[in-house]
Amino acid sequence: MSTHRQLHLNAFLLGAGHHSAAWRRPDSPAEQLGDISYWERLARTAERGFFDAVFFADGHSTGDVASGPRWFLEPLTALSAMARATERIGLVCTISTTFFTPFHAARMLASLDHISGGRAGWNVVTSMFDAEARNHGLEAMPARQQRYARAEEFVQVTQQLWDSWADDAVLVDRAGLYADPARVRPVHHHGEHFQVDGPLTVPRPPQGRPVLFQAGASGPGRDLAARYAEAIYAVAYDLTAGRDYYADVKARITAAGRNPEAVAVMPGLVTYVGSTEQEARAQRAAVDALLPTAQSLAQLSTFIQQDCSGWELDAPVPPLPPLERFGGPQGRYATILRIIDVERPTVRQLLGRLAAGGGHCTMVGTPESIADRIEHWFRSGAADGFNLMPPTLPDALDDFVDHVVPELQRRGLFRTDYTAHSLRGHLGLPRPARGAPA
Amino acid sequence: MSTHRQLHLNAFLLGAGHHSAAWRRPDSPAEQLGDISYWERLARTAERGFFDAVFFADGHSTGDVASGPRWFLEPLTALSAMARATERIGLVCTISTTFFTPFHAARMLASLDHISGGRAGWNVVTSMFDAEARNHGLEAMPARQQRYARAEEFVQVTQQLWDSWADDAVLVDRAGLYADPARVRPVHHHGEHFQVDGPLTVPRPPQGRPVLFQAGASGPGRDLAARYAEAIYAVAYDLTAGRDYYADVKARITAAGRNPEAVAVMPGLVTYVGSTEQEARAQRAAVDALLPTAQSLAQLSTFIQQDCSGWELDAPVPPLPPLERFGGPQGRYATILRIIDVERPTVRQLLGRLAAGGGHCTMVGTPESIADRIEHWFRSGAADGFNLMPPTLPDALDDFVDHVVPELQRRGLFRTDYTAHSLRGHLGLPRPARGAPA
Ligand SMILES: Cc1cc2nc3c(=O)[nH]c(=O)nc-3n(C[C@H](O)[C@H](O)[C@H](O)COP(=O)(O)O)c2cc1C
Ligand SMILES: Cc1cc2nc3c(=O)[nH]c(=O)nc-3n(C[C@H](O)[C@H](O)[C@H](O)COP(=O)(O)O)c2cc1C
C-alpha cells in the first residue's frame, strides 16, 4: 500500500443525511426514505465518484420517532436491490452478532456477494441499546466483554461457513455430480455460544469471504478489529484523536500478527463544501438553524446516559464523569469529552457540534481546503481513507463527488476509474484462500 | 370471489426446474443458479404471463450436493433484487418460524414490501430436517406440535409488529414531528416462545401486512393455515386428493370463523406442454431418462425415512407403514401412499412419478387438454388456482406462459392484464386495518 498509496472512500448513507435536522430542510428527501430508488440514486452517485463502497448502518429499535427518521428499510434487503442498480461499488451491510445466528449472517452475506458479483462487505457490530435487546428476547444488552466474546466466535464460524464449499466444489458434470461432496465440508462447530454443523447452503462467495469491517471504540472492540477486520470505521473528532486511534489500532493489528498496512482505517467525515469558505459555513449554519434544542438535548442525554434536558443552553457544559466510569458505548463519549476539553463549549455549541455525525471529524470549506485537510490526515498517520457522512442528502454527497473527488484525483490521491470489480479489489485485499486464518 | 371467480397462478422457482434430473439436460441453466439475472428473467416471464406471484422455497441444510442443486441464493436477498426487475408480480418468500425471530422476519418482509411497492408474501414454514436444526444451535427438530405452537405465536407477533406503526404515523412535519409517537405503539409481547417489545423499525408496509401463505399437510399445519393463511399451497396427486384436501382445509377455515372463499387453495402443478400429446409425453420421457436411479432411491429414502437403496427396481414397491405411524413430514408421505394405492407401481415407476415435484399433480399434454384439466380442478372444488412447478427451467415456464395461459384467458379463467398493483390486489384480498384480527 505504500508505493502508490491511495485514499479509500466509503459513503455512509443514512436517512436524509447525518445532520439530525437534515430532514427539516424544505427540499429534503424525508418522504422518500422507504423508496428504494432514492437509495439507488445515492449509490449511483457514490459510484460515479468511484467510491470503494456505500455503507448502511443498522439498529433494532426505533429510538425517538418524533425527532427524525432513524431507520426505514432493512439493510440486507435494501443493499440486495441496490446491487442491481450499480456495477462496481462495494455494498457494506451492518449485521449485529448479538441478534443474529452465524448461519443466517453467513448465508445472507454470501447471497449478497453472489448477487452483486463480489461486492459485499459486513460491518460487524455488537449493538448498543437495551431497547434493541428487548426486541430479540433479551432483557438488556449483555455486558461488553460478553458481546465481543460472542462476536469473535460468530466471526470465526461465519468464515468457516463461507469456506465450507471449495471454490471448485460445483462441478455441473451433467452425466455425474452436480457438486463434489469431497469439496463441501461440514463445520461441526461446538462452541460456547453457537452450535453449527454446516455446510452453508450457498456455494463459496465470489470474494471467497465478504470483506469484514469493524468499528469498535473500546479495548475489546479494537481488539476484535485488530484480529479480524479488513477495514475499520473510526471516530476521530480532530487530527490528534485520529492519530491516536490510528496508531493504537495499527499497533494492535501488528500485535495480532497481521499486516497493519493491509487494513484501511477510515474515520467518519462530515463535509460542507462551498465555492468559498463563507458559502460552506453558511450551508452549515442553515441546517444548524433548523435544530430544535429540546431534541438535541434528548439525543445528548442518550449519548452520555444522563438526563440533560434541564441544562442551561448558554452555560458551559457541566463536568462529566471520566471515560473509565462510563458504561455505555465509549467512542462517542470519548469524543464528547474531547470536544469539551478542546473547545470548552457552551451547551448550545456542543449541541451544534454533535448534530451531524455526533462528533465525527467535520470539514467545512472549499474543495481545495477540504482536499488539503484530507491529504494532511492521510499523510500524517491519521487515516487511510474516510467514511463520508454527508450531513444532508443527496446534495452533500453530490458536492463531494463533483468537487472534492476531482481535487483528490488531481493530486493523485484517489482513483480516476475503478481498477477492480470486487470490493476486495477496491481495497487492495487479496482473495482469502479457503481455510486461511481469519 | 364466486361471480367472476378466476384462477390464481404462482410460479414456484427452484434450481434448474423441479425435476431432479432437469439440471442434467445439455442446455440446462445449472451454471447460472448463483446469477441473479437468471432469476430475474424467470420472474419477468411469470410477469409476462400475469401470474399472481413468484415463490421461493427455502431450507437451511444442503442435502446431498452430489445429486443436484438444492439451494443457492438466499430468498430474501434474491427476491429484493428481483423486485427491481419486475413491476407487478408478487414475491413470496419462505421464512422458517423455527429458526428466525419474529423481529427479523417482520422487519425483512416489511422492507421487501416497501422495496417492491406492496408485492411481498410470506410462506410460513416450520422446517423439516434435523440437519437444518443443527445449523441453528438445536440438536434436532422440535416435535411438530411444538413447532406449530411456536409458529402461531411467531405469526401473531409478526402481525403486531407490522401494525406497530399506524398507516399515517409518518408525518414529515418539517417544523414539528417526523412521526407521531402516539401513532407508533410498542408491542410488549411476553409469550411462551418470544419476548418482543417493539415497535418495528420499519413503518407500516404498503400492504399493511405482507400476504401470508402456508402449506401445512398435517393436522396442526392445516389448522395454522386455517387460522392465518391468506393463500394455501397444497399437495394433491390427483383430483380426489385435491378435493379431499380442499374440502378439509376450507372446512377448517370456516370452523376458524373466517371466510373460506377468501383463501385461495393452490395445489402444486407440474406441466409438460406439447403441441401434441405425444410431444408432451416425449418431453417428459426425455428428462425422466436422465434420472440416475441410485440418486432417486436416496431421495425416496429421505421422503419415507427408511433406507430403500437395496430395493429391486422392477419389483412392486414393498408395503409401507400407514400415515399414522410416520413421524416425518406427512404431505409427501401421504402422496406416496396414494400413488402406490392407485397405480400399484414398480419401484422404478414410483421413482419416475416422484422425480418432478415429489408427487404433486402432473399434467402432460397440449395447451387445450391441460387447460381442460385445470378448469376441471377449478370447477369441481379441488383448486382456486395452482402453484406451477415447472419441471425444467426456463422452458417449461415459457411453454406454460406462452401456450396454456392464453388458453386459460380465452376461457375467461385468467386475467388478461394485471388489475392491481399489490399482491393483495392480485389475490382479491383487502388491505388489513391496523389491529384487525389475523
Ligand atoms: C461509522 C460507525 C458506524 C457504526 N455503525 C453501527 C451500527 O450500524 N450498528 C451498531 O450497533 N453500532 C454501530 N457502530 C458502533 C460500533 O460498532 C461500536 O459499538 C462503537 O464504536 C462503540 O464501540 P464499543 O462497542 O467497542 O464500545 C458504528 C460505529 C461507527 C464509528
Ligand atoms: C408447495 C410447498 C412448498 C413448501 N416449501 C417449503 C419450504 O420452502 N421450506 C420448508 O421447510 N417446508 C416447505 N414446505 C413444507 C410445508 O411447510 C410443510 O412442512 C409440509 O407440507 C408438511 O406439513 P406438516 O409440517 O404440517 O407436516 C412446502 C410445502 C409445499 C406443499
Side-chain angles (χ1 to χ4, degrees), chain A residues 23-26 28 30-31 33-34 36-37 40 58-62 65-66 68-69 71-74 76-78 80-81 84 99-101 103-104 107-108 111 114-115 134-137 165 172-179 181 184 195-203, chain B residues 23-26 28 30-31 33-34 36-37 40 58-62 65-66 68-69 71-74 76-78 80-81 84 99-101 103-104 107-108 111 114-115 134-137 165 172-179 181 184 195-203:
Chain A
W23 71 275
R24 299 184 183 276
R25 301 190 311 152
S28 86
E31 287 85 358
L33 307 184
I36 188 69
S37 65
E40 290 171 344
D58 191 31
H60 293 255
S61 59
T62 52
V65 301
W71 308 115
F72 205 121
L73 299 177
E74 181 282 331
L76 280 160
T77 45
S80 299
R84 300 302 286 154
F99 305 132
F100 272 85
T101 69
F103 198 83
H104 285 308
R107 200 160 83 107
M108 293 197 177
S111 189
H114 281 288
I115 289 169
R134 288 196 302 267
N135 281 328
H136 290 283
W165 292 63
V172 193
D173 172 4
R174 287 176 167 73
L177 307 181
Y178 171 70
V184 182
Q195 309 245 354
V196 187
D197 242 26
L200 202 61
T201 52
V202 184
Chain B
W23 71 274
R24 299 184 183 276
R25 300 191 311 154
S28 86
E31 288 85 358
L33 306 183
I36 189 69
S37 66
E40 290 171 345
D58 191 31
H60 292 254
S61 59
T62 52
V65 301
W71 309 116
F72 205 121
L73 299 177
E74 182 282 330
L76 280 160
T77 46
S80 299
R84 301 301 286 155
F99 304 132
F100 272 85
T101 69
F103 197 84
H104 285 309
R107 201 161 82 106
M108 292 196 178
S111 189
H114 281 287
I115 289 170
R134 289 195 303 267
N135 281 329
H136 290 282
W165 291 63
V172 192
D173 171 6
R174 286 174 167 73
L177 308 181
Y178 170 71
V184 182
Q195 309 244 355
V196 187
D197 242 25
L200 201 61
T201 52
V202 184

Side-chain angles (χ1 to χ4, degrees), chain B residues 224-239:
Chain B
L224 182 73
R227 282 200 291 276
Y228 298 99
E230 302 183 275
I232 295 179
Y233 293 133
V235 187
Y237 161 67
D238 58 14
L239 189 64

Side-chain angles (χ1 to χ4, degrees), chain A residues 12 55 57-58 71 94 123-128 132 144 147-148 214-218 221 233-235 329-331 360 387:
Chain A
F12 181 172
F55 159 54
D58 191 31
W71 308 115
T94 297
N123 179 36
V124 181
V125 304
T126 64
S127 299
M128 301 193 241
E132 298 180 271
R144 181 179 290 121
R147 276 188 281 129
Y148 277 110
Q214 223 281 323
S218 62
Y233 293 133
V235 188
Q330 300 200 325
H360 284 264
N387 185 24

